[in-house]
Amino acid sequence: MGGVTSSMAAKFAFFPPNPPSYKLITDDATGLFLMDPFPHRENVDVLRLPTRRGNEIAAVYVRYPMATTTVLYSHGNAADIGQMYDLFIELSIHLRVNLMGYDYSGYGQSSGKPSEHNTYADIEAAYKCLEENYGTKQEDIILYGQSVGSGPTLDLAIRLPQLRAVVLHSPILSGLRVMYPVKRTYWFDIYKNIDKIPLVRCPVLVIHGTADEVVDCSHGRQLWELCQEKYEPLWLKGGNHCDLELFPEYLRHLKKFITSVEKSPSRRSSSRRSTDRIERPRRSTDCFEAPRKSTDRRERPRKSTDRPEKLRLHEYKFNNMDKLEKFRTSFDQMEKSRRSVDYHEKSRKSIDQQLERARKSVDWLDRIRVG
């Protein structure tokens, strides 16, 4: 049931370009992958990466000399990395960062079919490549999610406790909320970003156009409100869903954000779990879940979690008091019994004394008669 519903939702959520905007070819001389029709660049690696769900995705890695930060870019739902290629190059140059972009399963030259959980596996494969092939540390990575790409971005972000930062570009609250103004999170919804954003523990920049006709600007505003570490958002007046990169403020604000997080202390407090490994994926949202209250509005403060402990302590005290009371009652009964025995013992002695005196008195009278 969950898989069928998720597949139906996927038909509304994913629009891979058909045909793809590029082809992957192998260079005979070097054995390297090349993207046709783009010329080969020495600082660009073209890759094919296996995912844990059995697919193989296409990706590009753009190197910038002496860069300390790497951006992992998840594109929108009607694009592929061929269409994004020139933007990737420009962002790498102007932001002075390394950048990896990848195609979701079923997009471009990636195998498989697009689905919510395939995209989660796709971004994990890209992250794993950065970590293992390029030696990139978790605390030097900024996750960038555009439109539907905000889904895999936030899903990975909540499992990387040392992540440097997150950028959400025209993000969605959830798949269902793009079409209907629902106030609950339903089990059949996809990309439940509204429930995940409060769990992200690094600075978050939200960029959204005020005239977005695909994903209303209220999505971005609400996600920003729910962030733990808010960075000054960028609401581009008159900006639509696919033209924000054309605004001068876009690049300027993005560069300011990256400079700011690069200068901030490295991730984060020593009390946090210091691991560069991805935490285990959470239970599939394709499985049936009962509808639960949405985080559309802030939740009331939860009651202290030490209540069960206090309850147990109270029960312990109560039980002990009960035992003590029973012991005290038993002791009192024993004491009364002892006193009763003592009383009867004293009474017996008193009678014996009286009898002894009477006997002596009789003996005295007998002596008088004899005399």
Side-chain angles (χ1 to χ4, degrees):
M1 178 69 174
V4 172
T5 309
S6 186
S7 298
M8 291 173 62
K11 292 181 180 179
F12 293 99
F14 303 108
F15 300 96
N18 189 19
S21 66
Y22 68 99
K23 294 180 180 179
L24 287 186
I25 59 176
T26 304
D27 184 270
D28 293 333
T30 62
L32 299 175
F33 286 115
L34 301 175
M35 286 181 65
D36 181 40
F38 303 100
H40 173 64
R41 290 174 176 266
E42 290 296 330
N43 67 321
V44 177
D45 295 339
V46 180
L47 309 162
R48 290 189 70 86
L49 308 174
T51 77
R52 61 177 170 82
R53 291 174 68 90
N55 297 321
E56 198 171 47
I57 61 171
V60 292
Y61 179 79
V62 184
R63 228 180 258 97
Y64 186 85
M66 306 301 290
T68 58
T69 298
T70 298
V71 172
L72 178 51
Y73 196 114
S74 301
H75 61 65
N77 74 352
D80 61 27
I81 57 174
Q83 295 173 345
M84 303 295 295
Y85 186 82
D86 290 335
L87 177 64
F88 289 166
I89 301 297
E90 291 298 315
L91 288 176
S92 176
I93 293 171
H94 287 96
L95 301 177
R96 300 180 181 180
V97 296
N98 303 317
L99 187 147
M100 174 171 277
Y102 65 99
D103 266 337
Y104 311 124
S105 297
Y107 276 68
Q109 298 301 323
S110 296
S111 67
K113 294 182 179 180
S115 75
E116 176 189 13
H117 293 282
N118 274 344
T119 63
Y120 295 158
D122 299 337
I123 194 171
E124 284 178 19
Y127 173 81
K128 184 179 179 182
C129 176
L130 288 176
E131 185 183 52
E132 296 180 356
N133 295 9
Y134 296 99
T136 310
K137 295 180 180 178
Q138 186 183 136
E139 56 266 29
D140 295 326
I141 293 176
I142 296 176
L143 299 183
Y144 190 118
Q146 179 181 5
S147 186
V148 76
S150 60
T153 291
L154 287 177
D155 187 76
L156 181 61
I158 63 177
R159 291 182 281 132
L160 298 178
Q162 303 297 317
L163 188 65
R164 174 62 67 179
V166 169
V167 178
L168 299 177
H169 176 148
S170 305
I172 63 174
L173 287 168
S174 73
L176 188 60
R177 287 175 174 85
V178 175
M179 298 181 286
Y180 305 105
V182 295
K183 296 298 181 183
R184 278 188 171 282
T185 296
Y186 292 92
W187 63 271
F188 53 82
D189 201 355
I190 64 172
Y191 296 130
K192 301 168 187 176
N193 294 340
I194 189 171
D195 298 327
K196 294 177 182 178
I197 189 68
L199 306 176
V200 176
R201 293 165 283 181
C202 62
V204 178
L205 166 63
V206 180
I207 304 171
H208 217 122
T210 60
D212 195 324
E213 297 176 351
V214 179
V215 179
D216 191 80
C217 189
S218 60
H219 286 243
R221 292 183 186 277
Q222 199 164 342
L223 287 172
W224 183 77
E225 287 289 344
L226 293 168
C227 291
Q228 280 192 35
E229 293 195 41
K230 300 176 178 67
Y231 186 83
E232 180 187 357
L234 180 59
W235 313 124
L236 287 168
K237 188 175 181 180
N240 211 312
H241 194 65
C242 299
D243 63 356
L244 304 189
E245 299 90 344
L246 304 178
F247 287 74
E249 304 97 307
Y250 166 79
L251 200 58
R252 186 163 57 244
H253 199 78
L254 191 54
K255 188 172 184 178
K256 177 183 172 184
F257 173 67
I258 290 176
T259 301
S260 172
V261 297
E262 283 181 336
K263 290 180 179 178
S264 65
S266 186
R267 292 283 77 178
R268 210 86 180 148
S269 139
S270 58
S271 62
R272 286 184 181 167
R273 193 186 330 176
S274 57
T275 174
D276 288 341
R277 296 292 177 183
I278 303 176
E279 294 180 10
R280 292 181 65 185
R282 285 157 179 74
R283 182 180 57 174
S284 169
T285 52
D286 280 347
C287 297
F288 179 84
E289 298 175 11
R292 57 182 181 274
K293 291 184 179 180
S294 165
T295 48
D296 282 354
R297 295 184 179 180
R298 295 188 180 275
E299 297 178 357
R300 295 178 181 177
R302 291 175 174 81
K303 294 181 180 180
S304 173
T305 55
D306 63 356
R307 185 180 175 184
E309 188 63 34
K310 290 181 178 179
L311 185 59
R312 285 194 294 271
L313 183 60
H314 173 74
E315 291 173 350
Y316 173 79
K317 289 180 177 178
F318 180 81
N319 290 336
N320 278 337
M321 290 295 291
D322 190 46
K323 291 178 181 178
L324 184 62
E325 189 63 31
K326 289 180 180 177
F327 177 77
R328 185 180 293 117
T329 302
S330 177
F331 180 80
D332 289 344
Q333 290 174 347
M334 291 172 61
E335 183 65 17
K336 287 179 181 179
S337 299
R338 186 185 63 79
R339 289 175 180 174
S340 177
V341 171
D342 289 347
Y343 172 78
H344 288 299
E345 184 68 22
K346 288 179 180 178
S347 297
R348 188 181 62 79
K349 288 181 180 179
S350 176
I351 292 170
D352 289 345
Q353 289 174 354
Q354 290 176 8
L355 289 172
E356 181 65 22
R357 283 198 295 270
R359 186 182 61 78
K360 290 179 179 180
S361 177
V362 170
D363 292 344
W364 181 71
L365 289 172
D366 288 343
R367 284 198 296 271
I368 293 176
R369 288 192 192 99
V370 172

